[in-house]
């Protein structure tokens, strides 16, 4: 993202404030008439300066939560109080065909105790006290309402124009108050393209251990936000450089394998970041983007390499079975970070399958091998296509072209077989009820064995049809032991 000059930022802000004036102005007058201060604050002001303010508006106020709720119920029929214990009341407002989501939070002065995983919620009495507790100067600007007076006590506007990440107070105090802000600095480095100030990087490095008091769920959410930015690489690199990744995602910095003049292999860490970037570029193939599973699989597909590295004769290095080891490591780490079971399953399966394509270029795959590839990928097939293509980072253009052509050919074969055989829902020609009727057996393990036998035949030979499937089933049944 290109950063605006001061004049551009000010002009952007004026234009955006005029756009939201009907809502912000009315709300400001409502609070002023009740004797309370109200300010547009934080990300809303930052995004207004960057000319990217959406329809979500954040405000802070001197009013306590009960008073805020009473005022918002006069302002909107749609009010929610799910965040009331933290001082936040929300509502939805319709104005001239536009829907606005408004959240108003009482001045805060929260802090973490030395050994606490949750902040102590404390309400403050002044805007200055609220802003100094904000994470970064670019989020510590406010606009007083209804008079539209700009408040910038910590130089956020100048930092915005310079593309710099700084904290309102000392970074040590800020990160001590909420250690998750260290990860948030990495997210803003990616999301905004900003550079953290040297003192911010130094504090992140010195205080990386303090991230341990943050719950796995909050770490997961911040990591997810980082990965879903347009360019996550700078933020991930910052996590690794400061040692934070060693605490929250140690498999990533472990990819920085030592190299020497005798044993050569590509830089696995840099390769993984490049695969992530290339996978993001291919996300247009998916139903929606950004896609978290796609990005996690791309970033972590080679995490099994450090544990499987072996030096071979002739200066070569091997990583046998790093797909199997990597899938186990991914499952363990994502579970610890409280990702959903569906996300854990999908990412670990993609890591396990990411080498399956190797060898296809020799043209040795039969139709049954193609069917098995589709069957094993299941509903992750499109993501597996993306991961396999993104995993090619060679600078050898001829080799890269051969790999692309080979995978184009594989996708063409899958498309042809899919049209002929409905590969997307690959199943035997007989279902469980038909198997039980033909064999005259009740539900149980034998039915599952018969089903799997027919499925293997379906994969090896393609569609059999009901008659051939019945013959094959009876032949299999005749070979089973009596009883």
């Amino acid at each position: 993202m290109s950063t605006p000059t001061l004049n551009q930022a000010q002009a952007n802000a004026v234009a955006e404030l005029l756009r939201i004036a009907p809502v912000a102005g009315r709300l400001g007058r409502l609070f002023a008439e009740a004797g309370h201060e109200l300010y547009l604050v934080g990300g809303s002001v930052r995004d207004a300066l960057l000319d990217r303010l959406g329809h979500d508006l954040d405000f802070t106020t001197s009013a306590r939560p009960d008073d805020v709720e009473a005022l918002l119920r006069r302002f909107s029929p749609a009010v929610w109080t799910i965040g009331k214990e933290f001082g936040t009341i929300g509502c939805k407002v319709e104005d001239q065909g536009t829907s606005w989501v408004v959240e108003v939070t009482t001045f805060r002065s929260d802090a973490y105790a030395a050994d606490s995983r949750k902040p102590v919620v404390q309400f403050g009495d002044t805007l200055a006290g609220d802003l100094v507790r904000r994470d970064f100067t670019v989020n510590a600007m406010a606009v007083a309402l209804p008079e539209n007076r700009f408040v910038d006590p910590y130089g956020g506007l100048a930092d915005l124009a310079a593309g710099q990440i700084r904290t309102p107070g000392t970074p040590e105090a800020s990160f001590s108050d909420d250690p998750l802000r260290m990860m948030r600095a990495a997210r803003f480095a990616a999301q905004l393209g900003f550079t953290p100030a040297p003192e911010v990087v130094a504090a992140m490095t010195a205080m990386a251990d303090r991230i341990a008091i943050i719950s796995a769920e909050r770490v997961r959410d911040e990591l997810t936000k980082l990965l879903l930015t347009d360019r996550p690489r700078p933020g991930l690199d910052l996590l690794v450089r400061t040692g934070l990744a060693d605490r929250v995602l140690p498999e990533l910095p472990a990819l920085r394998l030592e190299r020497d003049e005798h044993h050569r292999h590509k830089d696995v860490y840099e390769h993984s970041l490049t695969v992530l970037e290339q996978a993001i570029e291919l996300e247009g193939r998916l139903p929606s983007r950004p896609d978290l599973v796609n990005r996690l699989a791309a970033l972590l597909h080679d995490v099994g390499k450090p544990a499987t590295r072996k030096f071979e004769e002739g200066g070569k290095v091997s990583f046998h079975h790093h797909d199997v080891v990597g899938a186990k490591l991914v499952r363990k780490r994502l579970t610890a970070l409280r990702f959903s079971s569906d996300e854990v399953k999908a990412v670990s399966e993609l890591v396990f399958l990411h080498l399956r394509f190797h060898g296809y270029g020799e043209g040795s795959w039969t139709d049954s091998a193609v069917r098995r590839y589709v069957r094993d990928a299941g509903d992750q097939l499109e993501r597996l296509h993306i991961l396999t293509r993104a995993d090619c980072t060679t600078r050898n253009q001829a080799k890269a072209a051969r790999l692309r052509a080979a995978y184009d050919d594989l996708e063409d074969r899958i498309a042809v077989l899919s049209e002929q055989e409905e590969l997307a829902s690959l199943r035997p020609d007989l279902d469980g009820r038909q198997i039980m009727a033909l064999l005259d057996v009740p539900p149980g393990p034998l039915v599952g064995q018969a089903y799997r036998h027919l499925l293997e035949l379906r994969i090896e030979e393609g569609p059999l049809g009901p008659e051939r499937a019945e013959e094959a089933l009876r032949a299999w049944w005749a070979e089973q032991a009596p009883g």
Side-chain angles (χ1 to χ4, degrees), residues 115-154:
D115 58 352
S116 172
R117 284 182 174 268
K118 295 182 179 180
V120 177
V121 178
Q122 296 178 343
F123 299 133
D125 297 311
T126 66
L127 176 67
D130 181 274
L131 294 182
V132 76
R133 292 290 185 179
R134 300 268 165 173
D135 49 9
F136 306 111
T137 58
V138 295
N139 294 329
M141 299 177 284
V143 176
L145 299 169
E147 63 268 33
N148 286 349
R149 174 172 49 84
F150 186 58
V151 182
D152 181 22
Y154 303 106

Side-chain angles (χ1 to χ4, degrees), residues 53-120:
L53 181 62
H55 294 151
D56 293 355
L57 304 178
D58 295 325
F59 299 86
T60 188
T61 180
S62 59
R64 291 303 191 254
D66 286 341
D67 296 324
V68 174
E69 180 182 355
L71 288 168
L72 288 187
R73 292 197 182 280
R74 293 169 53 191
F75 186 70
S76 165
V79 174
W80 54 88
T81 61
I82 191 169
K84 188 172 182 178
E85 65 176 307
F86 301 104
T88 299
I89 310 294
C91 72
K92 186 175 182 180
V93 182
E94 299 289 336
D95 184 84
Q96 298 180 2
T98 301
S99 294
W100 302 91
V101 175
V102 169
E103 287 195 338
V104 182
T105 303
T106 301
F107 293 155
R108 294 270 292 269
S109 58
D110 301 346
Y112 275 81
D115 58 352
S116 172
R117 284 182 174 268
K118 295 182 179 180
V120 177

Side-chain angles (χ1 to χ4, degrees), residues 204-218:
M204 291 171 67
T205 305
M207 301 177 66
D209 282 341
R210 188 154 168 75
I211 198 68
I213 74 167
I214 301 298
S215 68
E217 291 82 0
R218 293 189 71 210

Side-chain angles (χ1 to χ4, degrees), residues 299-319:
L299 180 66
L300 303 176
H301 74 285
D302 272 347
V303 295
K305 281 190 170 181
T308 58
R309 181 173 61 161
K310 183 178 180 181
F311 296 121
E312 309 282 1
E313 293 182 5
K316 293 184 178 180
V317 179
S318 66
F319 303 95

Side-chain angles (χ1 to χ4, degrees), residues 257-265 309 311-312 314-317:
L257 301 177
E258 293 179 6
R259 305 172 72 191
D260 61 50
E261 60 186 29
H262 302 295
H263 297 96
R264 299 177 300 277
H265 57 81
R309 181 173 61 161
F311 296 121
E312 309 282 1
K316 293 184 178 180
V317 179

